[in-house]
Amino acid sequence: MQAKPTTVPALAAKQVGESYCRWQWVEPSVWTQRMLAALEGGVKGGVWFSLIDKVFSAANLAASTAKVVANRGAAGVDHVNVEAFVLHQEQNLKELHQQLRSGTYRPQAIRRVYIPKPGSTEQRPLGIPTVRDRVVQTAIVHVLQPIFERDFAAQSYGFRPQRGCQQALDRVEALLGEGCCFVVDADLKSYFDTIPHDRLLQRVGEKVVDGRLLALIESYLKAGILEGLQEWTPVAGAPQGAVLSPLLSNIYLDPLDQEMASRGWQMVRYADDFVILCRTREEAEEALCCVQRWVEANGLQLHPVKTRIVDGGTEAFEFLGYRFEGDKRYPRKKSLEKLKDRVREKTKRADGRSLAAIIADLNRTLVGWFGYFKRSHPTVFSGLDGWIRRRLRSLLRKRRGLKGISRHGADEVERWPIAFFDEQGLHSLKAAHVSLVQSSLR
């Protein structure tokens, strides 16, 4: 008699489907169905053994290389760029595999450069590992991230799969709407440069006991920093720009996330930037005291000037590029200046490109900017649209041999009205916002 096919109970099928959706982002060459089942069910003792072989597997290294190539990026201290690495990819990956397997792999120094902070004269240090080190770090992230992601707190949004700034901003808006108007606006001073190595490795070791993998992670933390002709060994921190640093930064701050949640405080964190939204000032003061104690006990420091308690009903605070003023949202000043600087660069009066080419270039910037700042107050968009058109009118005046710059005079608006720029295909921020509002009402 022919056996009946095995059926999966509805509840079990639902659980399998939910599990698949939760982990669909993992690297399949590492996280097989068997390993995902162990991840979901929980491994014995809550710790993972023998993971280094997953790091140096040929399939994982190949998948990691594909991601590094897609992200592009500059060359490290060895001057080998992505194109040069790919040119000899088979040999390079073979060497990495053999070195990781034999334990002879050593990361190279990290090239330090400085990039300007938007809207500020300050500069932010950025570490650039070599391409080969970026490949190995990506392979480590493929192995480690699901292990820690399984238990990360819900209020953490930065550097996590299927999460991001928009979800964090949604949560802040929801909490403000629920009456949580007293805000602990916190800022960790030089967080990525001050994470204590020993405590960080201890936290990684709470879930991972593969000694070779832990030693590999430690070697990255202690890799030399090359700035110009000077090289030194860091005693703390996880360099910004390294592939592994975002995950390590979340691992170190997760106990803070968990403590805030256990006390019932509504924290929203994105990397080292976080706010705690409370219903009363007393609650906010208590939350801030708790954060101060935790930060001090964990070798970190709150910025003495940037950390404060804000009455969201009467005072403004900034978070993830936005400025919150009561029930209104605006791009913060630095965000606006960054956009205007990019528009100025693309609309110079001496630009020899055709108007169509300039507008096409502008549109790429405007579409991307609106995608992030679409929740801003409508007056932001109409004001920017007018300013951008004035920039373009000044450019057109120059081409006609007219002196001066556009001052929004009636003659110029008549010569180049809004309809003219619409016909040229200029992306209107105001129109995009109106369309967004109308679609949300359907």
Side-chain angles (χ1 to χ4, degrees), residues 420-442:
F420 168 80
F421 294 106
D422 289 342
E423 291 171 0
Q424 300 301 312
L426 178 64
H427 183 76
S428 167
L429 298 172
K430 179 181 178 181
H433 184 258
V434 169
S435 177
L436 179 68
V437 172
Q438 289 176 343
S439 65
S440 66
L441 296 175
R442 291 180 188 139

Side-chain angles (χ1 to χ4, degrees), residues 87-204:
L87 191 62
H88 305 284
Q89 179 172 324
E90 184 177 351
Q91 180 61 29
N92 286 331
L93 295 189
K94 183 179 179 180
E95 289 178 1
L96 284 178
H97 172 81
Q98 292 172 342
Q99 291 171 0
L100 289 165
R101 185 173 184 175
S102 64
T104 59
Y105 172 86
R106 298 292 183 271
Q108 295 171 279
I110 293 174
R111 182 165 67 91
R112 171 163 284 191
V113 298
Y114 291 87
I115 58 175
K117 289 185 177 181
S120 170
T121 57
E122 298 179 35
Q123 291 189 312
R124 186 192 310 277
L126 185 68
I128 304 177
T130 61
V131 175
R132 68 191 288 273
D133 288 339
R134 298 206 294 269
V135 169
V136 177
Q137 287 190 37
T138 303
I140 295 173
V141 171
H142 284 167
V143 173
L144 289 186
Q145 189 161 26
I147 293 173
F148 290 92
E149 183 66 29
R150 176 183 184 272
D151 300 315
F152 274 158
Q155 63 263 44
S156 165
Y157 293 88
F159 310 128
R160 295 183 61 186
Q162 301 174 332
R163 285 170 168 252
C165 292
Q166 295 298 334
Q167 292 92 334
L169 291 165
D170 286 342
R171 182 60 179 156
V172 170
E173 289 190 346
L175 290 168
L176 289 171
E178 293 171 9
C180 298
C181 293
F182 289 90
V183 182
V184 178
D185 186 4
D187 186 277
L188 289 171
K189 187 176 181 181
S190 302
Y191 171 61
F192 279 88
D193 292 332
T194 57
I195 304 173
H197 287 169
D198 55 346
R199 299 182 190 183
L200 173 58
L201 289 167
Q202 181 181 357
R203 280 181 196 161
V204 177

Side-chain angles (χ1 to χ4, degrees), residues 113-361:
V113 298
Y114 291 87
I115 58 175
K117 289 185 177 181
S120 170
T121 57
E122 298 179 35
Q123 291 189 312
R124 186 192 310 277
L126 185 68
I128 304 177
T130 61
V131 175
R132 68 191 288 273
D133 288 339
R134 298 206 294 269
V135 169
V136 177
Q137 287 190 37
T138 303
I140 295 173
V141 171
H142 284 167
V143 173
L144 289 186
Q145 189 161 26
I147 293 173
F148 290 92
E149 183 66 29
R150 176 183 184 272
D151 300 315
F152 274 158
Q155 63 263 44
S156 165
Y157 293 88
F159 310 128
R160 295 183 61 186
Q162 301 174 332
R163 285 170 168 252
C165 292
Q166 295 298 334
Q167 292 92 334
L169 291 165
D170 286 342
R171 182 60 179 156
V172 170
E173 289 190 346
L175 290 168
L176 289 171
E178 293 171 9
C180 298
C181 293
F182 289 90
V183 182
V184 178
D185 186 4
D187 186 277
L188 289 171
K189 187 176 181 181
S190 302
Y191 171 61
F192 279 88
D193 292 332
T194 57
I195 304 173
H197 287 169
D198 55 346
R199 299 182 190 183
L200 173 58
L201 289 167
Q202 181 181 357
R203 280 181 196 161
V204 177
E206 290 171 1
K207 291 181 182 293
V208 174
V209 293
D210 185 320
R212 291 177 61 188
L213 179 52
L214 291 174
L216 181 58
I217 295 170
E218 183 176 10
S219 71
Y220 277 120
L221 294 175
K222 298 185 182 303
I225 305 293
L226 183 65
E227 182 176 348
L229 298 177
Q230 294 185 330
E231 183 175 350
W232 73 94
T233 301
V235 296
Q240 294 189 67
V243 180
L244 192 54
S245 294
L247 175 60
L248 295 178
S249 72
N250 273 337
I251 291 172
Y252 198 71
L253 286 182
D254 185 61
L256 175 61
D257 299 339
Q258 303 290 356
E259 181 164 349
M260 294 295 103
S262 69
R263 292 174 177 266
W265 288 324
Q266 303 295 337
M267 183 168 81
V268 181
R269 181 174 69 82
Y270 190 96
D272 57 338
D273 192 5
F274 63 91
V275 290
I276 305 170
L277 295 99
C278 307
R279 294 187 180 276
T280 65
R281 179 171 289 276
E282 292 73 20
E283 184 185 356
E285 290 172 349
E286 185 181 357
L288 179 55
C289 286
C290 182
V291 170
Q292 288 171 329
R293 288 194 299 269
W294 189 93
V295 165
E296 184 178 349
N298 285 271
L300 303 174
Q301 184 180 356
L302 287 174
H303 198 292
V305 176
K306 296 180 181 179
T307 300
R308 62 198 180 113
I309 294 176
V310 176
D311 180 351
T314 59
E315 301 173 276
F317 70 96
E318 295 179 351
F319 185 59
L320 298 182
Y322 276 88
R323 181 175 177 84
F324 291 76
E325 296 183 11
D327 61 348
K328 297 180 177 62
R329 314 286 177 262
Y330 300 92
R332 66 175 185 166
K333 184 179 179 181
K334 290 181 180 179
S335 302
L336 278 175
E337 283 306 311
K338 184 177 179 180
L339 171 67
K340 287 188 173 184
D341 285 344
R342 293 176 69 184
V343 171
R344 289 187 185 101
E345 185 65 27
K346 295 173 184 287
T347 57
K348 292 180 178 179
R349 298 182 76 220
D351 195 321
R353 295 176 297 169
S354 68
L355 181 62
I358 292 173
I359 287 178
D361 193 14

